[in-house]
Amino acid sequence: MRIDIITIHTELLHSPFEHSILKRAIEKKVVEVNLIDLRDYTTYNHKQVDDYAFGGGAGMVLMIEPIANCLKALKEKNTYDEIIYTSPDGELLQRSAE
């Protein structure tokens, strides 16, 4: 099984794959995990991948161009059964009143 993870923080994601069950699965070649740096697919000189939040509010919005460039490059090299893309469309988590 091959898992490609597109992120802007590859250095932060190495650790979970170097321990426990995931480490053993990688060592036995049951799974292959690749961390892909989204910044490698931007056209901006400073490797920028974020944009201003439209409509105000806090948070970071990723530009679609680097994501599209990255997905296109990956699809040219590999065949994927499924692509999972997380988005902010889910329900907002609220702290329960105590």
Side-chain angles (χ1 to χ4, degrees):
M1 174 188 297
R2 176 190 176 99
I3 300 173
D4 291 336
I5 300 173
I6 303 169
T7 180
I8 60 171
H9 298 294
T10 56
E11 63 283 351
L12 294 177
L13 293 179
H14 282 287
S15 181
F17 301 108
E18 295 173 350
H19 302 282
S20 191
I21 296 169
L22 291 173
K23 178 182 177 182
R24 291 193 301 268
I26 292 168
E27 288 173 348
K28 292 180 181 181
K29 305 211 185 293
V30 173
V31 66
E32 174 188 350
V33 178
N34 301 295
L35 300 175
I36 293 115
D37 190 347
L38 183 61
R39 294 182 192 281
D40 292 341
Y41 296 90
T42 186
T43 57
Y44 288 88
N45 291 337
H46 298 290
K47 302 289 187 184
Q48 178 183 352
V49 295
D50 59 322
D51 206 348
Y52 296 103
F54 298 100
M60 184 173 93
V61 177
L62 292 175
M63 290 186 276
I64 192 61
E65 291 85 2
I67 297 169
N69 293 341
C70 183
L71 288 173
K72 180 180 177 188
L74 289 171
K75 287 180 179 180
E76 288 174 357
K77 295 188 291 186
N78 306 296
T79 301
Y80 293 95
D81 293 331
E82 195 165 355
I83 295 176
I84 301 169
Y85 179 79
T86 59
S87 75
D89 292 340
E91 289 183 30
L92 182 63
L93 294 176
Q94 298 289 337
R95 186 184 308 179
S96 62
E98 294 180 24

